[in-house]
Amino acid sequence: MAKTVTPDAIAIMRSNPSPDSSADVPEIVVQVLDLKSTGSRSRFMFTANDGKMKLKGILPSNVESEILSGSIQNLGLMRILDYTLNDIPNKSDKYLVVNKCEAVSPALEMEVKSDVGDPDSGILLKLKQENQVRTAAGVPLKPKQEMVAKSAAQIVHEQHRNMAPAARLAMTRRVHPLVSLNPYQGSWTIKVRVTSKGSMRTYRNTKGEGCVFNVELTDEDGTQIQATMFNQAAKKFFDKLEMGKVYYISKGTLKVANKQFKTVQNDYEMTLNENSEVEEASNEASFVPETKFTFVPIDMLGPHVNGKELVDVIGVVQRVSPTMSIRRKSNNEIIPKRDITIADETKKTVVVSLWNELATTVGQELLDSADQSPIVAIKSLKVGDFQGVSLSTVNNSIVKVNPETPEAKKLRSWFDSEGKASSMDSVGSGIMASSRNGSRSMYSDRVFVSHFTSNPSLGEDKPAFFSVRAYVSFIKPDQTMWYRACKTCNKKVTEAIGSGYWCEGCQKNDEGCSLRYIMVVKVSDPSGEVWLSAFNEEAEHIIGCPADELNLLKSQENEENPYQLKLKQAIWVPHLFRVSVAQHEYMSEKRQRITVRGVAPVDFAAESRFLLEEISKQKASQ
Amino acid sequence: MDTSNPTVFVNAELLGRYVGRKVRAVIQVIRNDGAAVIGKSTDEKQITVKGLPPSQLTTFVEVIGIADGQNSIAADKWTNFGDNFDIFTYNKLCQLANGEYQHLFL
């Protein structure tokens, strides 16, 4: 068992960057320095130190457990059994990808440094100004370089490498960050990982048939963009672009993203055609994009319900359900699902449904550690309206348990201090629980009166529906407010010859008839005023009494004028109106006609909540 | 209308920020012992309101007065707000009126 690093271990590896098999690898023991997690997919980065040289590298994911258990520690020794050295473009250094390794010893007291003048290690000099180092071969090195101890083998190797014509593309390529791309600058190259790959879809339109697929690309900063390919380009790149791999891409085109279809936070989307270039990056290990989250506080999820954009959340896990098997309606497939309840500092809880792999792997992990109240950060969730608000994972959702982010730390300290004890409500229960009249519709498609007055051609093809909160501001007392209606079928009746009324629809005479409202009222809100047509049921709510009764009041001609009083009492009362807007020809002129389809009294508490959501929606879209 | 000293909408958390200033808060009456009223603020913390409460207090009361401690108000105006009140919305109002929309209120 080695008790120290293998001398020149780094040099040995540099001289044989790609050993054919682990049998080819001699005894290499290095000290592990700067051991840290890359932040995704449980990979750990480190610096290998052999006492003389250091080399940055990455460890395989299968040693994660050894790192977490402490067998492989920072400042500890590790034997490398199988490795590959990769190039880093634009830099003369290499990157060590460890494929197989084992722990040798726990943390040493300090960084291993060989003594200067050690006869085994070759020529060692640490110089800061320009200098020349004579190698065994007597070749002077370039001046003005900070000289770090190098062995003869290393220096000769570097010289050879610098003369090679090979790395031309890597050297001359300049990578642009995704966030800097725009449609007006054509010559860019990006280095991205394919973080999501859609399936190839075929379509048929007026031009014929075609095929299309898209991918989600993420670069080093975490910026994401959607890239789409059609027909030839789709066929060309479908096999080339593999999920999880890193590519250099250039000569794509950008355009403003179609908000209807986008799932990724980017104003632009990219299209690749046959002229676009896609080249696999060979040193992907050195480039692992961080998962970028934009968390939505649980109590702000309301406005996102049934929206198209996916959200990210972070919260403390309160409850984990057992795995459920759900039968998919479309193809009768059985898929696993698990529900977890999470809470955050807004003191609201929400249920997140984990599907497929997430239900079985991460879900199980959360169930096992549920009593420790783990923190979970989830990216790309769909917001549904089950029980008010519900979250659901999609194909490319990412779940991180106890991430090392500042939000997680904040959440942990909030939970430990007060969150544990406080009682919390489900965010869905606060959302618009309201009473009659299709109350949900009173909060959907909400507009101001100005929406009607500024769009005179609203409802041109087919009637458009909206809800609006407004005050009744004027009812013309002299208008014909009602019509005589058949008691049975409510259709208009005509005065029969003799007495009574004749109904054309029922084909019979009736002694009496009922009066049904048909009137126009003016409504106002802070943005404007407009005339609404109202029929019997709705008008009754507005006036406060049936038409027959109002007629009675009208006929009472006394001082008090109860008719006028009744109308006056209906003024300046706020209502929630459900209206339909259509185009109506009147004297060969197209006019906007707004009809009341439903009326509900204003529930001020619910209305306030609605306004709060509108405020947070405005904030979110800024 | 004297707007020189606008009354700040507060809950328990914000009260401490405005000690010495005129504040208004809606509290849920827990206990009334003549000289002071113990109430629950809209963010579920205890607030003491000193002063002379009116003879009849409904469940929710708005008090206007000077903040004289981290969780007490010396009130000189009491208004009964009835028994039904949406404290969630009022609490949000306090947060918004003292947060990003402060310029609209103060």
Side-chain angles (χ1 to χ4, degrees), chain A residues 236-496:
Chain A
K236 184 174 171 190
F237 295 124
F238 188 75
D239 293 322
K240 195 153 190 203
L241 286 170
E242 287 176 68
M243 173 81 176
K245 286 213 168 143
V246 181
Y247 301 89
Y248 291 102
I249 300 180
S250 46
K251 301 210 185 116
T253 47
L254 264 85
K255 61 175 204 253
V256 176
N258 186 342
K259 293 225 169 4
Q260 252 195 324
F261 296 118
K262 74 166 179 174
T263 49
V264 155
Q265 297 256 44
N266 199 317
D267 294 328
Y268 297 117
E269 59 181 0
M270 190 187 297
T271 310
L272 300 178
N273 54 39
E274 302 112 72
N275 298 329
S276 306
E277 285 175 1
V278 170
E279 194 184 305
E280 191 175 327
S282 54
N283 60 330
E284 62 177 282
S286 67
F287 161 71
V288 181
E290 276 198 21
T291 318
K292 219 188 202 174
F293 289 99
T294 359
F295 295 120
V296 176
I298 295 182
D299 72 346
M300 294 296 190
L301 285 172
H304 295 274
V305 168
N306 290 333
K308 296 217 172 63
E309 259 199 53
L310 305 174
V311 299
D312 308 337
V313 291
I314 186 169
V316 181
V317 176
Q318 297 204 312
R319 238 194 94 241
V320 182
S321 78
T323 323
M324 303 171 261
S325 298
I326 309 285
R327 189 183 290 274
R328 201 205 289 267
K329 282 198 198 118
S330 53
N331 55 3
N332 263 345
E333 211 184 298
I334 307 248
I335 39 181
K337 170 183 145 169
R338 202 190 281 267
D339 283 339
I340 63 169
T341 309
I342 60 170
D344 71 0
E345 295 117 319
T346 63
K347 294 215 198 136
K348 292 281 173 194
T349 65
V350 68
V351 176
V352 183
S353 298
L354 306 170
W355 295 90
N356 289 314
E357 240 182 60
L358 291 173
T360 49
T361 56
V362 172
Q364 186 64 43
E365 194 187 320
L366 291 174
L367 182 64
D368 295 335
S369 59
D371 53 349
Q372 290 146 35
S373 305
I375 293 183
V376 68
I378 315 178
K379 185 174 176 66
S380 308
L381 287 166
K382 206 159 64 147
V383 189
D385 60 5
F386 184 63
Q387 298 198 320
V389 179
S390 60
L391 297 173
S392 201
T393 57
V394 295
N395 270 340
N396 25 341
S397 298
I398 301 179
V399 178
K400 283 195 182 299
V401 181
N402 289 321
E404 292 283 314
T405 61
E407 290 96 349
K409 292 201 178 77
K410 221 170 53 150
L411 204 59
R412 175 101 265 150
S413 58
W414 163 79
F415 187 71
D416 289 337
S417 56
E418 51 167 297
K420 247 194 285 216
S422 65
S423 62
M424 292 185 263
D425 290 320
S426 151
V427 62
S429 58
I431 305 254
M432 286 171 271
S434 194
S435 48
R436 60 198 194 93
N437 220 345
S439 51
R440 198 182 149 72
S441 63
M442 289 305 181
Y443 293 97
S444 50
D445 318 302
R446 185 66 84 88
V447 295
F448 286 108
V449 167
S450 54
H451 188 69
F452 307 133
T453 52
S454 55
N455 292 322
S457 56
L458 223 52
E460 213 152 14
D461 304 316
K462 57 175 192 168
F465 285 79
F466 304 98
S467 62
V468 61
R469 171 167 61 98
Y471 287 84
V472 175
S473 53
F474 184 54
I475 306 176
K476 248 192 293 200
D478 315 324
Q479 65 176 300
T480 312
M481 273 190 211
W482 47 70
Y483 66 96
R484 292 189 188 280
C486 167
K487 283 195 174 144
T488 333
C489 70
N490 286 334
K491 280 211 187 351
K492 182 171 173 187
V493 294
T494 48
E495 277 181 34

Side-chain angles (χ1 to χ4, degrees), chain A residues 91-144:
Chain A
K91 293 195 186 144
S92 57
D93 209 350
K94 291 229 186 228
Y95 199 91
L96 171 66
V97 178
V98 178
N99 297 320
K100 209 157 148 222
C101 60
E102 61 186 16
V104 168
S105 94
L108 304 178
E109 273 176 14
M110 53 173 198
E111 231 179 281
V112 174
K113 281 193 173 80
S114 290
D115 296 327
V116 175
D118 185 344
D120 285 344
S121 58
I123 299 164
L124 303 170
L125 278 168
K126 270 202 166 76
L127 301 163
K128 288 231 162 87
Q129 322 101 318
E130 32 175 50
N131 229 310
Q132 286 183 342
V133 172
R134 290 193 178 277
T135 69
V139 177
L141 284 172
K142 304 191 197 83
K144 282 219 172 84

Side-chain angles (χ1 to χ4, degrees), chain A residues 11-201:
Chain A
I12 293 171
M13 288 195 284
R14 279 182 190 271
S15 59
N16 186 11
S18 310
D20 292 317
S21 69
S22 36
D24 242 11
V25 177
E27 171 86 348
I28 295 184
V29 174
V30 294
Q31 185 184 34
V32 173
L33 298 179
D34 302 320
L35 181 63
K36 57 178 180 266
S37 156
T38 61
S40 68
R41 298 187 296 132
S42 55
R43 295 293 292 264
F44 284 80
M45 309 192 297
F46 75 110
T47 305
N49 177 29
D50 71 349
K52 273 176 256 160
M53 288 197 284
K54 290 186 186 153
L55 188 57
K56 280 215 166 77
I58 190 164
L59 295 172
S61 47
N62 56 22
V63 299
E64 186 203 8
S65 52
E66 285 179 81
I67 295 168
L68 293 177
S69 68
S71 322
I72 295 180
Q73 290 179 341
N74 201 35
L75 291 181
L77 294 177
M78 179 180 79
R79 177 176 291 114
I80 299 177
L81 298 166
D82 191 10
Y83 68 90
T84 315
L85 275 174
N86 284 331
D87 288 325
I88 306 177
N90 298 335
K91 293 195 186 144
S92 57
D93 209 350
K94 291 229 186 228
Y95 199 91
L96 171 66
V97 178
V98 178
N99 297 320
K100 209 157 148 222
C101 60
E102 61 186 16
V104 168
S105 94
L108 304 178
E109 273 176 14
M110 53 173 198
E111 231 179 281
V112 174
K113 281 193 173 80
S114 290
D115 296 327
V116 175
D118 185 344
D120 285 344
S121 58
I123 299 164
L124 303 170
L125 278 168
K126 270 202 166 76
L127 301 163
K128 288 231 162 87
Q129 322 101 318
E130 32 175 50
N131 229 310
Q132 286 183 342
V133 172
R134 290 193 178 277
T135 69
V139 177
L141 284 172
K142 304 191 197 83
K144 282 219 172 84
Q145 271 179 344
E146 177 164 353
M147 287 287 113
V148 176
K150 288 181 201 247
S151 77
Q154 166 61 6
I155 291 163
V156 171
H157 185 81
E158 267 186 356
Q159 293 258 306
H160 276 302
R161 216 168 38 79
N162 282 341
M163 290 188 238
R168 23 125 218 152
L169 214 52
M171 297 288 215
T172 55
R173 182 179 282 136
R174 199 179 145 245
V175 170
H176 293 73
L178 257 186
V179 71
S180 72
L181 255 45
N182 60 66
Y184 316 110
Q185 187 205 15
S187 53
W188 42 258
T189 304
I190 51 173
K191 183 176 173 188
V192 287
R193 184 185 296 270
V194 175
T195 43
S196 169
K197 182 175 169 184
S199 46
M200 183 81 87
R201 296 188 312 271

Side-chain angles (χ1 to χ4, degrees), chain A residues 299-300 605 608-609 612 615 619, chain B residues 43 86 88-89 92 96 100-101:
Chain A
D299 72 346
M300 294 296 190
S608 301
R609 305 252 176 143
L612 280 172
I615 293 175
K619 245 196 297 173
Chain B
D43 54 350
D86 186 355
F88 174 77
T89 306
K92 276 282 177 194
L96 292 170
E100 55 218 292
Y101 298 104

Side-chain angles (χ1 to χ4, degrees), chain B residues 32-48:
Chain B
N32 177 4
D33 60 11
V37 168
I38 310 289
K40 188 166 75 150
S41 68
T42 50
D43 54 350
E44 321 248 343
K45 299 209 176 57
Q46 188 174 297
I47 288 191
T48 312

